[in-house]
Amino acid sequence: MTNENLTQQTDASHPMDFLLAGDFNLGIPVAGDIIIGTVVENRQNAILVDINAKSEGIIYGRELDNLDEDTRADLTEGTEVPVFVVNPEDRDGNIVLSYTRAAEEKDWEMAQALLDSQDVYEGKVIGHNRGGLLVKVGYLRGFIPTSQLSNMRRLQKDNNEAFLKDIVGEKITAKVIEVDRRRNRLIISERAAAREVRAAQRERLMDELQEGEVRTGRVVNIADFGAFVDIGGLEGLVHLSELSWKRITKPTDLVAIGDEVEVYVLNIDQDRQRVALSMKRLENDPWSIINDTYTVGQLVEVTITKLTNYGAFASLGDEYGLEGLIHISELSAQHVKHPREVVKKGDTVVTRIIRVDPKQRQIGLSIKQVSSDKFMDVDLALANMEEE
């Protein structure tokens, strides 16, 4: 063979060389890969996805049965979706894909990012067990132990099972506090997010709250001087004197931590970021209806509560703990230098009401006039009423 012939044979191309030279990008996917594909057909029992491989991948019916209606509806032809390669080639030669596995992988990345950033996440409570709540985090399930619920929720807890069941379906704000993919463990905490949430709520409430408003709140703390009530992220103080018109010596006589109460907004101090609340302003002021209960000339049995130089104070024994004053001049027909000559603290005596002044919030009493002829008509009228 001549050199010329050899040269010609070498230069000539093989008729199948175009197959070797052509770039068809027919990559073989690897199990565990996450690929962005395009839905090419949405069948009743399968979805075909183009992942730029030798053939379309398939999302099988078993997984589709577990997809919610909204997600299934989104998987329309032409939609780009992330898919997880479950099996590059099953026994029928199909590429088996998973939409939820890809979504879960992305959600694990999101969970880790939330853990790193400590951003607040809002999710829906989808279930509960004896230990806490299950919360949807994308396609993952986050777990909130009861110890990681907000203080406000824990105050409301009576029966644990019933309490947790009532929260299912609600949206809850929390922070991711633990991510362990190997153990499939995602722990979130409402309590950790509460401070930021409450700060935002407090700022909003301080701006919108108006004096004279009525709000529903929950008692969150009790001190000797009053009760602190949370009205939706902002705590206000109901001072002991504003708890009730009735006589109480300590807040626990009337309220307990966790009680739901109605409160009246008394005062808003923007500079000190404080709110004063009242419960008694939502009740009838006993002095506004005093004339329905007490009248001049009425005989009442009272208990001496305090002695002063000018007279003795006495409790009328009603539910409001109202007191009247027996002036020193009304203690006896005889001259009295000091009330202790006639009564002492704790004594129970019969007195006559000689003055009722709602505006001054005062009731005048008298021992001296109990048998006075001045009130004979009143006594007779009351006696006749009792007989009837």
Side-chain angles (χ1 to χ4, degrees), residues 267-296:
N267 178 262
I268 302 169
D269 188 335
Q270 292 286 357
D271 294 335
R272 300 170 69 188
Q273 292 286 288
R274 292 182 179 178
V275 176
L277 305 172
S278 174
M279 288 169 57
K280 78 176 187 181
R281 303 302 173 101
L282 300 177
E283 302 174 350
N284 285 329
D285 180 353
W287 288 98
S288 67
I289 55 173
I290 193 71
N291 290 322
D292 296 336
T293 309
Y294 299 110
T295 59
V296 172

Side-chain angles (χ1 to χ4, degrees), residues 164-190:
L164 294 174
K165 184 178 180 180
D166 288 343
I167 305 176
V168 175
E170 292 184 14
K171 286 190 174 181
I172 200 165
T173 303
K175 282 187 175 184
V176 176
I177 60 174
E178 183 181 343
V179 176
D180 189 337
R181 293 181 64 176
R182 182 176 60 83
R183 298 168 61 192
N184 197 34
R185 181 180 172 91
L186 175 58
I187 307 298
I188 58 181
S189 169
E190 184 188 31

Side-chain angles (χ1 to χ4, degrees), residues 112-155:
Q112 184 63 50
L114 287 170
L115 176 64
D116 295 339
S117 67
Q118 283 298 286
D119 288 340
V120 171
Y121 173 82
E122 184 179 69
K124 185 177 181 180
V125 179
I126 56 175
H128 76 283
N129 56 37
R130 293 183 65 183
L133 300 173
L134 299 174
V135 178
K136 190 173 183 181
V137 183
Y139 277 89
L140 304 177
R141 287 188 172 191
F143 181 64
I144 303 181
T146 53
S147 62
Q148 293 298 327
L149 292 173
S150 68
N151 291 335
M152 179 60 67
R153 288 194 194 274
R154 290 192 295 170
L155 285 173

Side-chain angles (χ1 to χ4, degrees), residues 157-386:
K157 184 174 65 174
D158 295 322
N159 180 285
N160 190 52
E161 286 286 338
F163 161 72
L164 294 174
K165 184 178 180 180
D166 288 343
I167 305 176
V168 175
E170 292 184 14
K171 286 190 174 181
I172 200 165
T173 303
K175 282 187 175 184
V176 176
I177 60 174
E178 183 181 343
V179 176
D180 189 337
R181 293 181 64 176
R182 182 176 60 83
R183 298 168 61 192
N184 197 34
R185 181 180 172 91
L186 175 58
I187 307 298
I188 58 181
S189 169
E190 184 188 31
R191 191 173 69 180
R195 182 176 297 179
E196 290 183 29
V197 172
R198 288 178 63 80
Q201 290 175 329
R202 180 184 180 86
E203 185 176 348
R204 174 181 56 81
L205 271 174
M206 286 298 293
D207 288 339
E208 70 180 31
L209 202 63
Q210 300 291 324
E211 292 180 6
E213 280 189 71
V214 177
R215 294 271 181 157
T216 299
R218 193 170 295 277
V219 179
V220 293
N221 198 11
I222 294 177
D224 291 339
F225 52 84
F228 290 91
V229 176
D230 186 292
I231 53 173
L234 176 63
E235 288 183 18
L237 173 66
V238 183
H239 191 269
L240 180 63
S241 62
E242 290 295 333
L243 280 167
S244 177
W245 295 107
K246 298 176 183 178
R247 177 177 292 277
I248 58 174
T249 58
K250 54 186 183 300
T252 50
D253 290 341
L254 188 67
V255 294
I257 291 177
D259 284 354
E260 185 175 279
V261 294
E262 293 285 313
V263 291
Y264 176 91
V265 181
L266 271 182
N267 178 262
I268 302 169
D269 188 335
Q270 292 286 357
D271 294 335
R272 300 170 69 188
Q273 292 286 288
R274 292 182 179 178
V275 176
L277 305 172
S278 174
M279 288 169 57
K280 78 176 187 181
R281 303 302 173 101
L282 300 177
E283 302 174 350
N284 285 329
D285 180 353
W287 288 98
S288 67
I289 55 173
I290 193 71
N291 290 322
D292 296 336
T293 309
Y294 299 110
T295 59
V296 172
Q298 182 179 346
L299 292 173
V300 289
E301 187 176 74
V302 300
T303 301
I304 305 301
T305 57
K306 182 181 178 182
L307 302 181
T308 67
N309 291 332
Y310 54 85
F313 286 91
S315 170
L316 277 68
D318 60 17
E319 61 178 325
Y320 297 104
L322 294 180
E323 289 188 335
L325 172 64
I326 310 172
H327 192 268
I328 193 170
S329 62
E330 294 294 332
L331 283 166
S332 173
Q334 309 299 318
H335 177 68
V336 177
K337 292 183 178 180
H338 194 277
R340 72 172 69 94
E341 296 175 13
V342 180
V343 293
K344 64 180 183 296
K345 185 177 178 180
D347 282 354
T348 298
V349 295
V350 175
T351 63
R352 191 182 293 278
I353 297 175
I354 58 173
R355 185 167 66 91
V356 177
D357 190 339
K359 291 184 178 179
Q360 297 294 322
R361 307 175 82 83
Q362 294 176 350
I363 295 177
L365 303 172
S366 174
I367 294 175
K368 183 175 70 175
Q369 298 191 53
V370 166
S371 301
S372 172
D373 293 340
K374 176 181 176 182
F375 297 100
M376 186 178 296
D377 292 342
V378 175
D379 291 342
L380 287 173
L382 289 173
N384 290 332
M385 289 176 62
E386 289 177 0

